Amino acid sequence: MKLNVKSVVVLTSICVVVSALLSVTNFFTAPVIEENKAAAASASLTVVMPDAEGFEEIELPADAPATVLNLYKETSGLGYVALLATTSQYSSGDMGITVAIGADGCISGVTLTSYFESKDFGSDYPQTYVGADSALNGIDTVSGVTYSSTAFKEAILDAFDVLINSGAVAEGEKSEEQLILEAIPVALPGCADSLGSAQVEAIDAKGFVAAYAATNGCGYVVAAATDAGTVVCGINAFGDVNCVDLEGNPAEGPVDEVKAAFPILAEANAENNLKQAQKAAGDDAVLTALDSVPAYGCVTGGFTAQVGEDTYYVFNTKPYGYANEIMEMAVVLDADGKIVNYRTVSELILHEEYYSSHELTDKEAYKNQFVGLDSSTYSDDVTMVAGATCTANAVADSINSAFDAYKAVKGAN
Amino acid sequence: MKKSAIFLKGLIKENPVLVLLLGTCPTLATTTSVISAIAMGLAATAVLVCSNMVISALRNIIPDKVRIPCYIVVIAGFVSVVQMLMQAYLPDLYDMLGVYLALIVVNCIILGRAEMFARKNGVVDSALDGLGMGLGFTIALLLMATFREVVGAGTFAGIEIPLLKTYNIPILVASPGGFFAFGCIIALVAKLTNKPKEKMGCAGCPSAEACGKLGCTKEEKEENVNA
């Protein structure tokens, strides 16, 4: 008993003395360590702003995007440096970016401090941002490394947002071409991929400012000059036209000229659309092509299907899936707008690895869960599959487009 | 034992790395460069000297039952102090050594000397033992690192060596090369020290005398050799 007490006392005493020793050491070393860390952080900042005299950290506003980790102001007024961290959809870790934005609102230096994506967009890509203002005029994402380069671009824009909102730098002016490209997904949402970027190809302008064809065949987009300024008009597969101004607000446009200039894609692709719609609706269904569907999703064809006395609606859709591959689906809705059948023409999941590791091993069960849902009971949570986000987004886009088309048809009638 | 003998035995005769084969993990890990090897060696020496002295001073106070926890607390305390000092005043070396600096706590050389020597000897002797063993550890690391860095990377302490910079054997700075260099240097030291062949087991252990257990006293050892 006596020995036990002694053991406890001795061990405790040693612990107390050692703790005191550590406290004293910490008292003297902690400030030096902090200084070292600050100096190291400052050194990483001078990489992008070599002429800097010093930096002081600025407190981030409460609503600052999560991608902006720290913001520093150069003490002599050269500008600002932001430490950014973002993730692309497939990367295994944060992409670290340090960007210097001069007092004139232009990027003076940018470097990638960490990058985990297997597909690299190259060391030259970040340098294309040098000299650009917040408009990022002429800077595009990298084809084939879309997610990473988009994440990079978004992170840079987040840094600009924080500085512009706090009045530190002036906003850059976007070119008309940029504004047109940004308005395209608003005028014709069906041509946008899951990141919201328009997937279009420039075509013969036919007298308009510019003209584009959606790569998934859901329509065309034209930029047209009007008395009120340039407007961007989306023409869906049925020839319906939706015009917006360069701010993305609804606008009057040369609807008749636009309609006359482009073919009606639903008619041009009628044979394939009918074939797929027939398979989705069943052999008993008598299909009639819809003339007008004033909705602008990824619908490429539409039919009414008469089965006995019951009327159904069948919509062909072509959303963008993994790596922006165009997927093809047909959605059958009943007269009340509830999903009756959901048919995938192309493989639901384009990449086999998802089959083995995710819920989509049973595609039929996955699709059957949509049956009976209408626009009020459906949510994107139903379609979401972790690890197969692109395909799940495509399925959601397909269903939402079909619901929009149904509402447009019912509203028109 | 003479003070000089206590100090010198750690350098070669009972070198903790090359003869006692203790501390192999940090030896292999930190000998990819001469600078990190010296830093690790000196950090371990500082901890070894300090912990030996404290443990020796407290040897009559610490109950046998809790001696290992007491030793660990003392050693961990000194390691933390060294860590904080290095982080503050030698940040580059601190970053270079990384986790291996903290792992000095579980370096068996330090706990081994506390258990084998410091708890049975006076403060001065223990300090000399710690210093000798620490320098022996540092020398072993330096030898290993010199071989690996010069032949493996063509540099010495970061300074490029003409010809070797172009014609080197990179595997030596990788893990397999570490084991290879370790084996070569142990063999070399064994050859140079020309140890008489002794019986396997306790009697053949270089620490048999200090250990004093399992019939390994000096007299018994001599009997075994003569048998």
Side-chain angles (χ1 to χ4, degrees):
Chain A
M1 181 63 185
K2 194 179 170 187
L3 186 66
N4 282 344
V5 173
K6 189 186 173 189
S7 301
V8 171
V9 171
V10 170
L11 185 53
T12 308
S13 305
I14 289 175
C15 289
V16 170
V17 172
V18 168
S19 303
L21 176 69
L22 291 177
S23 302
V24 172
T25 313
N26 184 60
F27 178 77
F28 288 107
T29 56
V32 185
I33 292 169
E34 282 305 312
E35 275 177 31
N36 290 344
K37 283 183 179 171
S42 178
S44 75
L45 304 181
T46 50
V47 170
V48 289
M49 198 176 265
D51 299 331
E53 288 180 5
F55 294 95
E56 60 186 40
E57 188 164 1
I58 303 174
E59 194 176 340
L60 289 169
D63 59 348
T67 44
V68 183
L69 301 181
N70 302 89
L71 193 60
Y72 299 87
K73 183 181 182 183
E74 203 279 328
T75 48
S76 68
L78 281 179
Y80 302 85
V81 175
L83 302 185
L84 312 171
T86 184
T87 50
S88 68
Q89 201 148 3
Y90 298 103
S91 59
S92 53
D94 277 351
M95 183 193 293
I97 304 160
T98 306
V99 59
I101 297 170
D104 59 352
C106 294
I107 294 173
S108 59
V110 60
T111 182
L112 205 56
T113 51
S114 62
Y115 188 73
F116 291 91
E117 178 64 277
S118 57
K119 286 174 81 177
D120 194 349
F121 48 52
S123 57
D124 292 342
Y125 178 66
Q127 297 316 309
T128 60
Y129 285 72
V130 174
D133 59 18
S134 68
L136 298 184
N137 195 4
I139 296 169
D140 208 350
T141 53
V142 181
S143 176
V145 202
T146 319
Y147 281 89
S148 291
S149 49
T150 302
F152 185 92
K153 191 174 181 179
E154 296 293 331
I156 299 281
L157 286 172
D158 286 344
F160 270 117
D161 277 350
V162 171
L163 289 171
I164 290 166
N165 291 338
S166 62
V169 297
E171 190 171 1
E173 200 168 318
K174 293 182 178 177
S175 66
E176 187 177 73
E177 187 187 357
Q178 267 184 298
L179 293 170
I180 289 171
L181 287 172
E182 285 179 13
I184 288 175
V186 183
L188 187 68
C191 72
D193 62 18
S194 60
L195 293 172
S197 300
Q199 298 298 312
V200 292
E201 289 170 350
I203 55 172
D204 178 14
K206 297 185 179 178
F208 297 103
V209 175
Y212 305 88
T215 56
N216 62 353
C218 75
Y220 298 93
V221 183
V222 296
T226 68
D227 295 340
T230 304
V231 294
V232 176
C233 299
I235 309 113
N236 71 8
F238 304 91
D240 299 295
V241 179
N242 175 44
C243 294
V244 297
D245 63 20
L246 295 183
E247 300 287 320
N249 303 313
E252 296 292 325
V255 174
D256 293 336
E257 291 92 322
V258 169
K259 271 188 175 180
F262 296 96
I264 294 172
L265 289 171
E267 288 177 3
N269 300 319
E271 192 179 342
N272 181 56
N273 284 341
L274 181 64
K275 184 177 147 191
Q276 303 305 339
Q278 191 76 63
K279 285 182 181 175
D283 293 338
D284 298 341
V286 179
L287 299 181
T288 308
L290 291 164
D291 291 332
S292 172
V293 182
Y296 301 90
C298 61
V299 172
T300 56
F303 301 86
T304 55
Q306 201 67 39
V307 182
E309 292 184 356
D310 297 326
T311 303
Y312 299 91
Y313 295 89
V314 188
F315 297 103
N316 306 94
T317 61
K318 286 188 175 179
Y320 292 98
Y322 182 85
N324 283 345
E325 294 262 7
I326 297 164
M327 303 178 77
E328 195 173 350
M329 291 112 168
V331 187
V332 184
L333 305 175
D334 66 13
D336 298 324
K338 290 179 179 170
I339 296 174
V340 176
N341 189 19
Y342 184 84
R343 184 172 183 278
T344 52
V345 177
S346 53
E347 275 290 301
L348 187 57
I349 301 293
L350 296 172
H351 293 264
E352 285 295 325
E353 63 262 36
Y354 289 139
Y355 278 125
S356 57
S357 57
H358 296 98
E359 299 165 35
L360 289 187
T361 23
D362 188 349
K363 285 194 295 180
E364 288 309 312
Y366 173 70
K367 289 188 286 184
N368 286 340
Q369 61 182 336
F370 312 145
V371 174
L373 299 178
D374 60 20
S375 58
S376 63
T377 54
Y378 167 81
S379 85
D380 289 351
D381 293 341
V382 179
T383 49
M384 184 50 65
V385 179
T389 318
C390 294
T391 302
N393 285 342
V395 172
D397 189 15
S398 162
I399 290 175
N400 285 321
S401 294
F403 284 142
D404 288 347
Y406 167 81
K407 284 180 197 167
V409 172
K410 294 296 274 187
N413 293 339
Chain B
M1 195 184 284
K2 283 183 183 174
K3 304 282 185 213
S4 58
I6 292 173
F7 171 70
L8 291 172
K9 73 178 190 299
L11 298 184
I12 295 181
K13 188 186 163 197
E14 288 184 29
N15 186 291
V17 177
L18 304 176
V19 178
L20 303 182
L21 301 187
L22 300 174
T24 306
C25 174
T27 302
L28 292 171
T30 62
T31 52
T32 50
S33 85
V34 169
I35 300 287
S36 63
I38 293 173
M40 168 55 81
L42 295 181
T45 304
V47 174
L48 196 48
V49 171
C50 296
S51 62
N52 260 14
M53 287 170 69
V54 171
I55 288 163
S56 172
L58 298 176
R59 67 186 187 280
N60 296 324
I61 299 169
I62 297 172
D64 205 41
K65 228 174 159 180
V66 290
R67 68 180 195 285
I68 299 294
C70 290
Y71 297 167
I72 291 290
V73 171
V74 170
I75 295 166
F78 282 118
V79 170
S80 302
V81 168
V82 169
Q83 252 190 307
M84 285 192 265
L85 290 172
M86 283 187 76
Q87 194 177 4
Y89 301 109
L90 299 166
D92 291 341
L93 277 181
Y94 175 82
D95 290 339
M96 192 185 280
L97 293 178
V99 71
Y100 294 101
L101 192 58
L103 284 177
I104 293 176
V105 175
V106 289
N107 187 322
C108 45
I109 299 171
I110 294 168
L111 193 60
R113 296 322 292 173
E115 179 72 359
M116 297 255 301
F117 195 93
R119 81 182 183 102
K120 300 171 189 169
N121 293 280
V123 176
V124 177
D125 286 355
S126 298
L128 287 172
D129 178 77
L131 190 62
M133 287 291 165
L135 291 180
F137 179 58
T138 309
I139 290 167
L141 293 188
L142 184 59
L143 273 175
M144 278 270 290
T146 304
F147 180 61
R148 292 179 73 186
E149 192 184 340
V150 169
V151 185
T155 59
F156 179 79
I159 302 162
E160 290 186 7
I161 301 170
L163 198 67
L164 279 174
K165 184 64 192 168
T166 316
Y167 301 101
N168 51 41
I169 309 169
I171 196 170
L172 279 175
V173 288
S175 304
F179 280 100
F180 175 74
F182 192 43
C184 289
I185 293 171
I186 289 170
L188 185 67
V189 169
K191 178 72 179 168
L192 290 178
T193 53
N194 197 22
K195 284 201 303 180
K197 287 190 177 174
E198 293 175 339
K199 281 192 172 179
M200 295 296 286
C202 197
C205 173
S207 298
E209 200 173 321
C211 173
K213 286 183 179 177
L214 304 170
C216 288
T217 59
K218 191 175 182 182
E219 294 73 25
E220 285 168 330
K221 189 179 165 189
E222 281 168 1
E223 278 174 25
N224 286 333
V225 173
N226 296 332

